[in-house]
Amino acid sequence: MEFLTEFPEMGRRDLSQLRQGIDEGFKTFSRTYGEQLEAFFSPLLKFMVWFEKLLLAAPWPIIILIIGALAWAGSRSWKVTTGGVLAFLAIGYFGMWEDTMATLAIISVATILCIALGIPIGIMMARSDRMQALITPILDVMQTIPSFVYLIPVVMLLGIGKVPGLIAVCIYAIPPIVRLTNLGIRLVDREVLEAAEAFGASHRQKLFGVQIPLALPNIFAGVNQTIMMALSMVVIASMIGVKGLGVPVLRAISNQYLALGLMNGLAIVALAIIFDRVSQSYGKRLQSYRESGHE
Amino acid sequence: MSEAETKIKIRNLYKVFGSNPKRAMKHVHGGLTKAELLEKHKHVLGLKDITLDIKARELQVIMGLSGSGKSTLIRHFNRLIEPTEGSIEIDGDDVMAYGEKRLRDLRRFKMSMVFQRFGLLPHRTVQENVSYGLEIQGVDQDEASKRAAHWIDRVGLSGFEANYPVQLSGGMQQRVGLARALATDAEILLMDEAFSALDPLIRTDMQSILLELQEELHKTIVFITHDLDEALRIGDNIAILRDGELVQSGDGQDIVLHPADDYIADFTKEINRAKVVRLRAIAQPISGEAPTGEPMPDSTVLEVALQKLTEAEGHILPVSNKAGQVTGQVHLADAVAALQSPHA
Ligand SMILES: Nc1ncnc2c1ncn2[C@@H]1O[C@H](COP(=O)(O)OP(=O)(O)OP(=O)(O)O)[C@@H](O)[C@H]1O
Ligand SMILES: [Mg+2]
């Protein structure tokens, strides 16, 4: 009877020994390889620091101008462009300019990194079913495991700072771009691909001339989601030493500053909406050839 | 017709689809039919022992019902599908021995293909689609667009260079497909039900365009269709497939007048024979005195000949060959007999 009501657990002592063993092992690992890892990531750190400094040092009107221009280039919509510019003016007016620039820096670097890694991984997945079977569960884990859990090993390895923050953001934000690159390439019309092959296209020519261009709308939807997910990690990343809009939010939580939390939270939302609108309408324009015109 | 050289030579070609084709081949050689192989071993017998010569500069039609293996066969010529057994030679070269590079060159320079559902690149304009093969060949941009423009004009699409495929009707899209295939200057043109998706009128139109072009280009064309009218109209030779087997191969006359079996007779039943059968297929050697009257060329179709025979004296007329020599005679009774299908 006792067997059914009490779960037959592993002994308490064994369990704690097991955990200690794993912790020790990981600590030894990080002690031996920590420095090498840091050295490996140092170019990334330098780039991030440089980019953040650049954003902060640039006169604000220039930044606003660039943002307006990018929004226009992406969306070709006056509404989105004016909305974006007004949002940034408000952010500056309410004293959040520096934090916003810091957040912008980490989001941009994280997005670039995710694209640089995610698209090739997605292409590999699309090329072989075995790769897909291998990578899909990893992506599932990355997306569902609570972020606090993987913060622990990242911090143990690299300590607190920009790089571990960036890695945490990327772990969370990279899955959509990988998935959608894979999906986009797999969805390319078989007959179109066969035509390319019949004309003697090489693997490269098929990839860059047919598969990627036709998968682009999907890939772009992936980029959009990646940006959104990176933004949603801003607060958590600030817990391990990333500067930006997340820091005041954390401060607001521990000190019960309602207004401060709200303002910074709204700034994050504003960034998200701007990114989303711009990248979505750009994505739509990418597939304009699918619409039949007159005729 | 003079003995033309063989362009594509297929010998004992087999194709089995499934997880272990090699093993399934043993059963095929053991005599299992397509249905039995599917039933007992879950393998599809796509092609069975195909032996076929395709002549240079002629238009070879491959016919058969849906699922008979036409697409499978044509895709063997440029090895989009690999055979399970058998040999494929092009210009006397064993294509199966080709490595990746030579195979690619074969597809780039020697063969091009037109697809049933067009297979156009939706993100490229008409101009860019037509120059696609040239781009793959490595022709430089200026030259490629010049040549593309020429072929766009030839298929009657001038003015649509900047349009995207979705903006064109089916018939126009297939003209793009045809122009793209012709632009590479390949000697061999593979056309898999190229006109089947088109409306009847546009289809006849496209057939005319193809015949017109062929008149001056003299390519080796392999044309798949399941429509006998189309086959008879454009084909120099017709090969008929059933369940992966080649059941008859010959010119249109042969097929219509001497169907090898009921399957083919079924195909030919609905045909208007008066428009297809030509005198050379029914002319008799001259017995006794040659008939008087103006000789009819042996390429005359029955429809025309019947009228002349009805008016002729004794309902009999001489038949002449291309060179104008009288080679035989034909009587009204022979012509009328040839109108009936063998099983009518
Ligand atoms: N990849 C494949 N795997 C399994 N079976 C296949 C495959 N491709 C073709 N087949 C089978 O091979 C046979 C011949 O198919 P094929 O497509 O060559 O026919 P078809 O004559 O072109 O027909 P249609 O007129 O419908 O195009 C069919 O029974 C088909 O189911
Ligand atoms: Mg087919």
Side-chain angles (χ1 to χ4, degrees):
Chain A
M1 213 50 214
E2 200 186 307
F3 177 77
L4 290 180
T5 49
E6 290 284 317
F7 200 92
E9 340 180 285
M10 182 177 183
R12 187 160 301 187
R13 192 133 50 88
D14 291 346
L15 197 60
S16 87
Q17 251 169 16
L18 174 71
R19 286 197 291 242
Q20 267 171 19
I22 293 176
D23 287 358
E24 273 316 308
F26 195 74
K27 272 183 198 148
T28 328
F29 174 79
S30 61
R31 238 173 275 137
T32 12
Y33 295 104
E35 267 175 39
Q36 268 135 297
L37 272 173
E38 246 164 65
F40 176 76
F41 284 118
S42 87
L44 202 59
L45 179 64
K46 276 193 193 129
F47 177 66
M48 261 174 58
V49 171
W50 171 79
F51 191 56
E52 198 183 319
K53 274 203 186 127
L54 183 74
L55 283 184
L56 280 172
W60 65 267
I62 292 191
I63 300 274
I64 297 263
L65 213 66
I66 291 174
I67 282 167
L70 284 180
W72 172 251
S75 67
R76 296 286 155 85
S77 143
W78 281 118
K79 258 197 233 160
V80 174
T81 311
T82 345
V85 168
L86 284 180
F88 269 84
L89 288 175
I91 282 170
Y93 188 67
F94 287 109
M96 297 178 287
W97 186 261
E98 285 190 10
D99 284 338
T100 302
M101 287 306 114
T103 294
L104 221 49
I106 187 161
I107 298 299
S108 314
V109 176
T111 305
I112 293 169
L113 198 63
C114 286
I115 292 174
L117 292 173
I119 292 181
I121 296 175
I123 291 170
M124 273 188 338
M125 265 173 95
R127 289 207 154 182
S128 108
D129 287 339
R130 197 176 299 171
M131 267 298 184
Q132 176 171 260
L134 187 81
I135 294 176
T136 306
I138 299 178
L139 294 179
D140 292 340
V141 170
M142 285 164 78
Q143 267 185 311
T144 45
I145 198 168
S147 2
F148 290 106
V149 175
Y150 59 73
L151 283 185
I152 304 165
V154 170
V155 171
M156 279 170 82
L157 269 179
L158 296 162
I160 277 184
K162 284 191 169 52
V163 170
L166 181 70
I167 292 175
V169 171
C170 282
I171 291 177
Y172 185 68
I174 205 173
I177 187 157
V178 176
R179 278 187 213 279
L180 281 157
T181 303
N182 174 38
L183 181 77
I185 291 180
R186 282 176 184 265
L187 283 181
V188 169
D189 189 352
R190 266 192 47 82
E191 192 153 340
V192 174
L193 207 57
E194 187 180 45
E197 198 157 338
F199 279 92
S202 62
H203 288 303
R204 271 182 76 85
Q205 286 169 323
K206 269 188 286 183
L207 184 64
F208 292 106
V210 181
Q211 290 173 302
I212 290 183
L214 290 181
L216 219 48
N218 272 311
I219 294 177
F220 213 75
V223 173
N224 176 33
Q225 284 188 31
T226 289
I227 296 176
M228 293 300 111
M229 293 181 73
L231 263 173
S232 70
M233 278 290 282
V234 161
V235 176
I236 288 173
S238 69
M239 292 173 64
I240 55 172
V242 175
K243 281 194 270 172
L245 289 166
V247 177
V249 173
L250 276 188
R251 195 144 39 90
I253 293 173
S254 47
N255 297 318
Q256 303 182 358
Y257 295 149
L258 173 64
L260 180 71
L262 216 55
M263 274 188 203
N264 284 278
L266 285 177
I268 295 175
V269 172
L271 284 188
I273 292 177
I274 297 167
F275 276 130
D276 184 59
R277 294 297 179 277
V278 172
S279 63
Q280 263 194 24
S281 42
Y282 182 66
K284 266 203 204 104
R285 271 197 296 126
L286 275 183
Q287 40 186 334
S288 54
Y289 62 79
R290 281 170 207 265
E291 289 152 28
S292 50
H294 19 271
E295 230 85 43
Chain B
M1 218 166 290
S2 67
E3 266 307 298
E5 81 232 52
T6 301
K7 193 81 178 172
I8 306 176
K9 188 167 150 189
I10 304 291
R11 287 292 173 273
N12 308 104
L13 194 74
Y14 287 85
K15 176 66 189 180
V16 175
F17 294 104
S19 48
N20 192 345
K22 288 279 176 226
R23 204 178 55 204
M25 273 309 294
K26 289 206 192 87
H27 304 299
V28 174
H29 286 308
L32 283 196
T33 65
K34 178 171 176 161
E36 288 166 342
L37 191 73
L38 185 61
E39 169 99 3
K40 291 193 191 139
H41 302 282
K42 303 280 171 281
H43 278 64
V44 178
L45 181 54
L47 292 175
K48 182 180 177 190
D49 199 12
I50 306 282
T51 290
L52 181 67
D53 284 333
I54 293 173
K55 301 265 187 293
R57 295 177 292 282
E58 291 192 1
L59 200 154
Q60 169 78 51
V61 169
I62 296 173
M63 262 186 67
L65 297 176
S66 190
S68 57
K70 308 178 296 288
S71 299
T72 308
L73 179 59
I74 205 172
R75 278 165 179 69
H76 275 86
F77 300 161
N78 56 2
R79 277 181 59 191
L80 286 176
I81 296 180
E82 299 284 337
T84 313
E85 240 180 70
S87 75
I88 305 162
E89 279 179 19
I90 290 172
D91 285 331
D93 246 14
D94 178 10
V95 176
M96 291 313 299
Y98 281 10
E100 202 173 322
K101 167 97 177 44
R102 287 192 71 191
L103 180 59
R104 227 183 287 141
D105 281 346
L106 174 82
R107 292 173 181 168
R108 284 181 186 176
F109 297 101
K110 202 154 200 170
M111 285 190 176
S112 57
M113 201 160 176
V114 186
F115 298 85
Q116 178 169 8
R117 282 174 48 236
F118 320 136
L120 300 179
L121 304 159
H123 61 299
R124 289 172 149 242
T125 61
V126 168
Q127 158 90 31
E128 290 164 343
N129 262 289
V130 175
S131 56
Y132 182 69
L134 298 170
E135 194 181 303
I136 296 289
Q137 286 182 350
V139 175
D140 74 74
Q141 194 117 57
D142 280 351
E143 174 70 16
S145 43
K146 217 185 302 163
R147 282 206 247 163
H150 168 75
W151 288 107
I152 289 172
D153 182 48
R154 282 306 305 266
V155 299
L157 279 182
S158 296
F160 291 93
E161 287 86 351
N163 286 64
Y164 284 97
V166 281
Q167 299 171 321
L168 305 179
S169 68
M172 289 160 99
Q173 288 188 47
Q174 195 55 301
R175 289 187 208 204
V176 178
L178 188 59
R180 174 176 69 176
L182 292 171
T184 63
D185 268 335
E187 302 158 45
I188 303 173
L189 199 58
L190 306 177
M191 305 179 74
D192 186 357
E193 303 213 28
F195 303 154
S196 299
L198 307 177
D199 297 335
L201 274 180
I202 296 174
R203 190 167 175 171
T204 319
D205 232 27
M206 288 298 286
Q207 291 166 1
S208 308
I209 293 178
L210 183 67
L211 287 175
E212 221 172 87
L213 287 167
Q214 174 65 350
E215 203 129 290
E216 78 185 69
L217 299 175
H218 300 294
K219 301 206 180 253
T220 305
I221 303 179
V222 183
F223 189 100
I224 288 183
T225 178
H226 50 234
D227 177 6
L228 185 61
D229 279 312
E230 185 166 69
L232 291 169
R233 172 148 190 240
I234 65 175
D236 294 314
N237 288 296
I238 301 175
I240 300 183
L241 290 178
R242 177 182 54 192
D243 290 344
E245 284 180 78
L246 185 65
V247 283
Q248 188 171 4
S249 164
D251 65 9
Q253 308 284 308
D254 261 353
I255 307 270
V256 172
L257 290 175
H258 316 290
D261 60 15
D262 291 350
Y263 173 77
I264 299 170
D266 249 12
F267 257 125
T268 58
K269 213 164 52 192
E270 307 292 329
I271 270 309
N272 183 354
R273 305 162 74 85
K275 284 198 157 98
V276 175
V277 178
R278 295 173 194 278
L279 289 183
R280 80 171 78 91
I282 60 166
Q284 306 286 330
I286 293 183
S287 53
E289 211 172 310
T292 53
E294 195 190 340
M296 294 184 288
D298 60 6
S299 59
T300 313
V301 289
L302 288 186
E303 194 177 41
V304 179
L306 280 169
Q307 198 173 359
K308 289 192 180 161
L309 283 170
T310 317
E311 292 159 2
E313 196 187 325
H315 300 314
I316 191 164
L317 280 172
V319 175
S320 63
N321 64 8
K322 247 187 210 153
Q325 299 159 311
V326 172
T327 52
Q329 61 184 17
V330 66
H331 192 275
L332 184 59
D334 302 327
V336 172
L339 277 180
Q340 298 174 342
S341 63
H343 293 266

